[in-house]
Each structure stands twice: as structure tokens, then as C-alpha cells.
Amino acid sequence: MPGAGPAGAATMRAAVQHRYGPPSVLASSEVGIPLPGRGDVLVQVGAAAVHPGDYFVMTGEPYVLRLVFGLRRPRHGIPGRDLAGVVAAVGKDVTALRRGDEVFGWSTAGTLAEYACVPADNLVSVPADLSVVDAAAVPTSALTALQALRDIANVRPGQTVLVTGASGGVGSFAVQIAKVLGAEVTGVCSTRNVDLVRSLRADHVVDYTRTDFTRTEKRYDVILDNVEAQPLAAVRRALTPTGTLIPNSGRGGRWLGPLGRIVRARMLSGFTRQQLKPLLSVEKRKDLLTLADLLATRQVTPVIDRTYPLDEAADALRYVGAGHTRGKVVVTV
Ligand SMILES: NC(=O)C1=CN([C@@H]2O[C@H](COP(=O)(O)OP(=O)(O)OC[C@H]3O[C@@H](n4cnc5c(N)ncnc54)[C@H](OP(=O)(O)O)[C@@H]3O)[C@@H](O)[C@H]2O)C=CC1
């Protein structure tokens, strides 16, 4: 897009993949700057977070993902969903944002690049004093945690909530959001992350290398299981009689995986509707605004594990794919 890039450049740097595969399929390339449609915003990307979900989409495994993202090769050559940056240009119908605004939000793909085209409805203003890296870390993971705890589990003050993978991208937000909702929170993590999870205001921390939470006497009203290291039936033992378990390992695809497991568990293991609920999180602008408030008032603070420059996006995805991140991994552009 002539005029949008620096000195009117029409091309940009991006992490591009032409086929499914390991992180080495991602190559730093020069490509055309996308053109914003009528309701779109062209964002000059400052930072873009990467998720386990981005890793699965890059590899094209499990295969069922290819039904959505392209059968033979990825439909979107540039991966990446979450971003923060500055508005470089707006489409004809966009009135709420203007060139120069600092924004964060999500796209279906294409954020691992110098510029990304995003529907204006997917973006909100970055709260004052929040860095571009912190803002990019928020959208998908924090929205997932918020919707799981507030909307699906309907967490109420005084309830007991257990979060597995409490040191990870979703878990580190979930611990903080459960506290905001007034719950008594237990985070499950490894020894090296105990202090981190305590610093997120967890009331109790279970080190899974020493204690199996499914084998203690303690019972929880809500369990958000971001790891699914134990079978659902074992985790059910740790629920109160009216408790709710939300599995969220992302295994088998974002929606098909949880739905498949829940149908099987309900049919074969006698889980009730109340005991087991699928997490089908959907990005909503009003939830992003809620999160912007929580960030502005410092009730929620992103945890950043590592940042990588755009040219090393493959290394960022390799690291995320290994599954041991502490908070979020962000690519800076
Ligand atoms: N439904 C949705 O919309 C979304 C789903 N997801 C899914 O949620 C899952 C979690 O995502 P995310 O938080 O980003 O993942 P991360 O990779 O960021 O975090 C995983 C964390 O879990 C810890 N961990 C590993 N094994 C255990 C264990 N047995 N018990 C407790 N903690 C453990 C890891 O640390 P260590 O190994 O050091 O213990 C790491 O900190 C993913 O599978 C992802 O696909 C994510 C975003 C959206």
C-alpha cells in the first residue's frame, strides 16, 4: 500500500510459511503490505504474542485443523493472531480510530509482520502506561481466562478455584482474574514457578512435581485445567459435588478437541452438564474493553517470559511449542 509504510514503502518484512511443518518452515520474507478493506485498520505492528495455538496451526497438526486453516497448505501465509501497534491507515467506514492511535487486539492471522490488516471491531486503545509488549500479550489468553471463569464457570466471591498451568499464558491471567472475581485461588505449577504464581496473588500453590492435586482431600468449586495432565475422571475427584471442570488443553483443535472430549466424557464417564463444560472462547470487543480496564487499574498484569525479534519468530514458536513458557512469549517488530 503506497504511503502506508515508512517513506511510502509498498513492501514489508514478515514471517511467512508456504507449507505446514516445524518452525523451520517459517522464513523472514519481503511481502506486499496488505490493503485495508472498508471496515479494516492497517496496524503498524509493534509486538505480536505467540501461543500454543499458533504452533498447532503452523504444524497443521492435528490434521483436523487443516479443515479450517487450509487443506494442502496454510490459507494465511503469515501466522500470528494477537497484536499491539499504531494505526497506520483506516478503511473508508472506520470512524472510531485514526492514524497514530495506539491499539491492541486480535486478527485471524497475519500479525507476525511489520503491518497487519485487522477489522476495526477487533481493536481497542492501549491503556496509558502499558507497553506495546504487555498489550500484545493480552488478547487471546486473557479473553480465554476471563470467559472461562466469569461466563462459563460463573465464579462467585468466596468460591474455590483451581488453575492448572498457572504459570502459563492462560493460567497466569486466570489466577489474577479469579482473584478479581473474589475467589480463593489455588495455582498448580512446577517448583521453579511457585514464586511466580504466588506473585500473581494465588492463595495457595500446588507444586505438581511433589503433590497430585487429585489425590488430596481438598475440593474445588471450579477447576480450569489448562494442561489436562490427568484423565478427566481423576480431576473430577477434586470437585465439590456442585463443582465445574473446564478442560482447556487445546488438544485436538480449539473447539473440536474440547467438544469431542466432553461428548466422550459425558457419554462414557457419566459427567453431568454442571460438572464438565466446554471452553469455546470467542473474541469479543466488549471483553477486551473489560480487560483494558483491569490492566489500567493494575488488577491484572501480563507476565512476559521472553521476547524475540521478528526475524527470530521461528525460535519464538519453537519455544512456545515446547510447552514450558512462564507467561507470554512476544515477538517484537
Ligand atoms: N480455548 C482457547 O480459546 C484457548 C486455548 N488455549 C489452550 O490452553 C492451553 C494452555 O495455553 P497456554 O497457557 O498458552 O500454554 P503455555 O504453554 O503458555 O503454558 C503451559 C504451562 O503449564 C505448565 N505445566 C506443564 N505441565 C504442567 C502440569 N502437569 N501441571 C501444571 N502446570 C504444568 C508449564 O510450565 P512447566 O512445564 O514449567 O511446569 C507452562 O507454564 C494450550 O493447550 C492452548 O492450546 C490457549 C488459548 C486459547
Side-chain angles (χ1 to χ4, degrees), residues 52 144 165 167-170 190 192-193 208 248-249 254 281 323-325:
T144 299
S167 51
V170 176
S190 58
R192 72 184 183 113
N193 290 323
Y208 71 81
N248 178 43
S249 75
R254 186 170 169 203
S281 57
H324 301 295
T325 62

Side-chain angles (χ1 to χ4, degrees), residues 13 45-50 84 111-114 132-134 136 304 306-313 316 329-333:
R13 261 181 329 122
V45 181
V50 290
T111 63
L112 291 177
E114 287 182 301
V132 75
V133 168
D134 280 358
I304 307 300
R306 296 180 184 190
T307 63
Y308 291 81
L310 180 59
D311 289 343
E312 293 170 21
V329 174
V330 177
V331 169
T332 55
V333 183

